[in-house]
Amino acid sequence: MKIEIRLTEGTWIFDDSDPLGPPGGFGEVFRGSGECGPVAVKRLMLTADAAAHRELTLGATLSSRTLTNVVPVLDYGQDAQSDRYFLVMPICDYSLEQHLVGRETLEWSEISNVTADVIDGLMEVGDIVHRDLKPGNILWHDGRWKIADFGIAKFVENSTSLQTLKTSLTPQYAAPEQWLMMRSTSATDVYALACIVQEMIVGDPPFTGDFDAIRDGHLRGQPERMPNASARINGLVRSMLRKAQDGRPSLQRCKDIITSAQTDVEATAKNALAEAGLQIATQQAEDDAKRLEEETRILSIKQQGDEAADELLLILNRMFDTITDSSEAANRPYSTAPSVCLGPAELSFEIPNNPPRVHLEGSGWTVYAFSQIKLRCDIERVSYSDESEYTISASLVYAKRPNDSDFRWFEISFWAMNSSFWKQPVALSPNDRNFDVALSTTMGVFSAAFGPHSIDAEDEQSFHDRWVGLFARGASGKLRPPQQMPPPSTFFSDS
Ligand SMILES: Nc1ncnc2c1ncn2[C@@H]1O[C@H](COP(=O)(O)OP(=O)(O)OP(=O)(O)O)[C@@H](O)[C@H]1O
Ligand SMILES: [Mg+2]
């Protein structure tokens, strides 16, 4: 069907039954025409709602510049009639994707031409990151290779969610930072370009297979050495594919190497140097991958720890709420830690933390979050040497024990024979070595006074009853230090 659209510069007609290729991630491109003759009309897959009146600024930026290696934008914007966003460009002869079909690899001279043209295109619009560089967006027009679809990914990223952007990208060319939904920079385009260069040299981009395999490759994998390329080119591609954005070479450096490589191949001395450079680049790439993996791991631990912390806050708030609900006299004064007071007793807890060291080697516990609960009360002195204050506390840890399959919240308190407070079960932080030793089979200064007992899900009620009971005894002046350690179980459950 012939469709007429009105944009800023004029009226265009396109035929929605005549696509110039299969639809892409951000829209479809159709054969069309205008006063100047035949054109390509790209209809963005984006409702006006999602675009939320954002300006398609790339149109303005690009149409005001003279560009030799970027497909010019003839017109752009929103069509009032259909409410859809459009981009009008000259019709190009074919894409690099189409050019590669049926060709195993390309000659080096052609590879270096394509690459140099693309680098020129990227340098011309220096301040805009393309974000979706791939063979389908490299088009042959007017006797040179030009980059199409500049800035569309950015426009879509601003208008919809990052998640949507991620699913619109082509996995083979997406850089690690895009998989992690981190900020893209011009180094993101350098990475994609390396994938394209490798595809032109060996026939496939560095990471192939199903979606998960490709993702894994970009995040953790090492590209294979290209047997039909010189050490210098292998080294260059390897460094362009570094996982860390700031480790990738500048466009100018890429261009220098690409354009001088053809004359270089014979120079053996340089080749030996390049060989050494390749080895270094390989090592750097491996280091990068390890660092990235570690960062991803820490991020996910932190996320799980934070979610667990929210869950614990709910459990503790339910406990504190029942106390304030059941006694008018109880109050929750503002202090450094969340607390509830009634008469001579104060119950408080620490805001949950993420431990710096997650795996405890001695005990085999894995800890993602921790906190502590503390009861402090005034007690009657029976003899002159008695303390007038009594405190017990317990560690709350979100952990997985060696044979557990899941993480849970546990309560555990400790005691030490030689401690002057030895009749007071105390909390230890999992950052404290004593925590690990007490839970291991090794003899240490501290041992468990109570627990470990899980306190979440079906065990929340007994955790709740235990501490509300201790608090009630403290508030009514009836709490007495236990006469032995570890304390008898009645110490925690007596009412
Ligand atoms: N100006 C143009 N002239 C000729 N063909 C074009 C032009 N622009 C795009 N095409 C072709 O139209 C098809 C669809 O392009 P489109 O940009 O929608 O998808 P893509 O480039 O594969 O993916 P993406 O949405 O990520 O850019 C592609 O096969 C492309 O080669
Ligand atoms: Mg495209």
Side-chain angles (χ1 to χ4, degrees):
M1 193 174 81
K2 295 252 191 239
I3 299 173
E4 192 182 276
I5 50 167
R6 266 207 75 76
L7 305 176
T8 334
E9 300 292 319
T11 306
W12 310 90
I13 293 172
F14 70 93
D15 188 344
D16 72 351
S17 61
D18 192 5
L20 284 168
F26 301 105
E28 291 169 282
V29 180
F30 304 100
R31 194 177 296 278
S33 62
E35 262 173 37
C36 59
V39 291
V41 176
K42 177 157 184 155
R43 181 168 67 190
L44 292 183
M45 232 170 20
L46 191 70
T47 61
D49 253 10
H53 309 296
R54 270 171 200 278
E55 268 297 296
L56 197 50
T57 47
L58 67 124
T61 320
L62 297 185
S63 54
S64 65
R65 298 190 201 182
T66 341
L67 303 162
T68 52
N69 291 96
V70 172
V71 176
V73 174
L74 302 175
D75 203 357
Y76 64 96
Q78 192 178 12
D79 169 50
Q81 184 81 41
S82 60
D83 256 6
R84 304 280 301 257
Y85 276 86
F86 292 92
L87 265 179
V88 181
M89 330 160 243
I91 291 217
C92 302
D93 303 329
Y94 46 85
S95 68
L96 178 63
E97 185 180 17
Q98 287 159 343
H99 187 63
L100 286 169
V101 172
R103 289 179 173 83
E104 192 70 353
T105 61
L106 302 182
E107 290 289 319
W108 175 252
S109 61
E110 198 174 10
I111 295 172
S112 104
N113 277 342
V114 176
T115 312
D117 278 354
V118 172
I119 292 176
D120 284 344
L122 290 172
M123 289 189 358
E124 277 173 354
V125 289
D127 45 343
I128 308 175
V129 183
H130 190 294
R131 289 156 203 254
D132 185 28
L133 200 59
K134 57 180 187 174
N137 283 337
I138 299 172
L139 306 177
W140 181 259
H141 181 240
D142 250 1
R144 45 164 63 94
W145 292 102
K146 300 186 180 183
I147 308 174
D149 289 343
F150 241 106
I152 293 201
K154 174 70 177 166
F155 177 65
V156 174
E157 175 184 305
N158 281 337
S159 318
T160 61
S161 71
L162 275 170
Q163 194 60 44
T164 318
L165 172 73
K166 207 168 92 179
T167 52
S168 312
L169 292 171
T170 312
Q172 282 90 332
Y173 311 95
E177 59 272 20
Q178 294 178 296
W179 291 100
L180 294 174
M181 303 213 263
M182 286 157 53
R183 236 165 66 87
S184 299
T185 64
S186 58
T188 307
D189 293 340
V190 169
Y191 185 95
L193 180 59
C195 297
I196 300 169
V197 170
Q198 176 142 351
E199 182 170 0
M200 291 190 288
I201 296 177
V202 297
D204 285 309
F207 306 113
T208 53
D210 65 17
F211 186 86
D212 287 341
I214 294 175
R215 176 179 189 274
D216 208 59
H218 286 297
L219 287 175
R220 280 175 281 274
Q222 289 313 318
E224 289 202 359
R225 187 183 172 143
M226 301 174 285
N228 54 344
S230 68
R232 190 140 184 256
I233 292 302
N234 267 294
L236 173 68
V237 170
R238 194 56 72 85
S239 64
M240 291 167 78
L241 286 174
R242 285 192 66 178
K243 313 286 184 201
Q245 293 190 66
D246 55 9
R248 295 174 208 149
S250 68
L251 286 168
Q252 187 58 54
R253 171 131 185 89
C254 296
K255 189 173 176 191
D256 292 345
I257 296 179
I258 288 283
T259 50
S260 65
Q262 39 207 341
T263 52
D264 264 1
V265 196
E266 317 303 336
T268 43
K270 264 196 180 166
N271 228 11
L273 249 181
E275 194 63 56
L278 173 63
Q279 267 175 28
I280 293 168
T282 309
Q283 186 56 49
Q284 281 174 339
E286 277 165 18
D287 295 348
D288 276 0
K290 277 201 206 102
R291 210 175 66 203
L292 194 73
E293 188 173 340
E294 181 61 13
E295 279 167 12
T296 319
R297 202 179 60 81
I298 290 171
L299 201 73
S300 117
I301 289 174
K302 186 160 168 9
Q303 245 158 33
Q304 293 178 58
D306 288 350
E307 279 165 23
D310 289 346
E311 186 196 334
L312 181 70
L313 288 177
L314 286 176
I315 294 175
L316 292 167
N317 279 321
R318 280 194 285 267
M319 180 193 291
F320 281 36
D321 286 346
T322 23
I323 294 175
T324 41
D325 287 353
S326 57
S327 170
E328 280 297 312
N331 59 350
R332 294 183 72 166
Y334 179 84
S335 66
T336 49
S339 62
V340 58
C341 293
L342 181 62
E346 179 188 24
L347 187 64
S348 62
F349 65 87
E350 197 178 279
I351 301 291
N353 295 292
N354 297 119
R357 219 164 44 92
V358 168
H359 297 288
L360 307 183
E361 267 148 37
S363 59
W365 283 49
T366 308
V367 181
Y368 280 5
F370 70 95
S371 162
Q372 59 166 292
I373 185 166
K374 183 157 99 182
L375 172 67
R376 196 204 57 75
C377 52
D378 300 332
I379 50 171
E380 223 176 281
R381 288 155 70 166
V382 179
S383 73
Y384 187 71
S385 63
D386 283 350
E387 297 286 338
S388 61
E389 198 184 283
Y390 183 63
T391 305
I392 59 176
S393 57
S395 310
L396 305 177
V397 292
Y398 185 67
K400 190 159 82 77
R401 296 175 299 186
N403 294 319
D404 291 345
S405 55
D406 289 314
F407 280 83
R408 292 195 66 171
W409 275 106
F410 291 98
E411 170 185 350
I412 174 161
S413 51
F414 304 88
W415 69 282
M417 182 71 83
N418 67 355
S419 150
S420 53
F421 309 114
W422 75 277
K423 284 183 179 167
Q424 309 183 354
V426 291
L428 288 178
S429 155
N431 300 330
D432 182 335
R433 242 186 68 76
N434 287 312
F435 180 98
D436 188 21
V437 174
L439 294 176
S440 73
T441 49
T442 316
M443 276 289 277
V445 181
F446 285 86
S447 10
F450 180 83
H453 286 296
S454 48
I455 58 168
D456 51 6
E458 74 279 8
D459 299 317
E460 180 179 339
Q461 192 60 46
S462 54
F463 169 62
H464 179 277
D465 293 349
R466 183 160 61 245
W467 284 92
V468 173
L470 285 166
F471 178 73
R473 268 149 67 205
S476 56
K478 286 195 213 138
L479 190 64
R480 295 282 170 272
Q483 289 312 299
Q484 65 187 73
M485 279 301 225
S489 61
T490 50
F491 173 74
F492 294 98
S493 57
D494 265 0
S495 45

